[in-house]
Amino acid sequence: MKSLMFALMTAILAANEPAHGLEASPAGNAEAGAAVFKRCMACHSVGPDAKNGVGPVLNGVVGRAAGVYPDYSYSAANKNSGLIWDEPTLTTYLHAPRKLVPGTKMTFAGLSKDQEIADVIAYLKQFDAQGQKVGP
C-alpha cells in the first residue's frame, strides 16, 4: 500500500512540474523586448523591410520551423534540428544557443535574464511572416 501511495504521489508531483524542467516563464513585455532586441540587430532584423544579414530575418519566427527562412544559409545543425521555434524552445535557445543546437552558426552566447528573454519573444511575436505588426 505504501508503494502504491508513493507511486501516486510521484505521478501527481511529476504532472505538476513545468515542461523540460523549466520554471514558468515570466510574462513578456513587447516594448521592453524592442530594447532587448537592439542587441540582436547586429545580425537579425524584423519588419517589412527586413533582410537576411549575418543571421536570418526573424519575421514570423515564433511558430516557424528552424532553418527554413528563404535565402539564408543555415548551418546543417540548425536545418536538421527538427525544432519549431515555439516560446519554450526559443526560451531555451536564447539562454544558450549552442547548447540546444550544437553546431549552430549563432555566436551570441545567450541572454541570462528570463525577463529579457520573455520580453524579446513578446516583441518578436508582434511580427507576422511579412514583417507586419499583428499585435499591440
Side-chain angles (χ1 to χ4, degrees), residues 37 41 43-61 64 69-72 123-124 127-132:
F37 189 75
M41 290 174 63
C43 299
H44 297 283
S45 61
V46 293
D49 298 323
K51 295 190 180 2
N52 288 324
V54 173
V57 169
L58 296 181
N59 290 336
V61 71
R64 182 169 79 202
Y69 193 83
D71 302 320
Y72 182 76
Y123 174 70
L124 292 171
F127 296 93
D128 68 12
Q130 291 72 43
Q132 302 301 313

Side-chain angles (χ1 to χ4, degrees), residues 15-124:
N16 289 314
E17 285 293 312
H20 308 291
L22 297 176
E23 293 182 21
S25 296
N29 176 298
E31 189 174 316
V36 176
F37 189 75
K38 288 180 181 180
R39 295 186 228 166
C40 309
M41 290 174 63
C43 299
H44 297 283
S45 61
V46 293
D49 298 323
K51 295 190 180 2
N52 288 324
V54 173
V57 169
L58 296 181
N59 290 336
V61 71
V62 181
R64 182 169 79 202
V68 300
Y69 193 83
D71 302 320
Y72 182 76
S73 178
Y74 288 95
S75 66
N78 196 298
K79 284 192 289 192
N80 299 324
S81 69
L83 295 174
I84 301 295
W85 296 125
D86 58 15
E87 290 182 55
T89 303
L90 278 168
T91 298
T92 301
Y93 186 74
L94 291 174
H95 267 293
R98 288 173 278 187
K99 186 174 180 182
L100 182 62
V101 183
T104 184
K105 290 174 21 179
M106 187 155 149
T107 59
F108 183 69
L111 295 169
S112 60
K113 297 179 182 172
D114 291 340
Q115 187 62 58
E116 288 183 340
I117 291 171
D119 292 344
V120 80
I121 291 171
Y123 174 70
L124 292 171

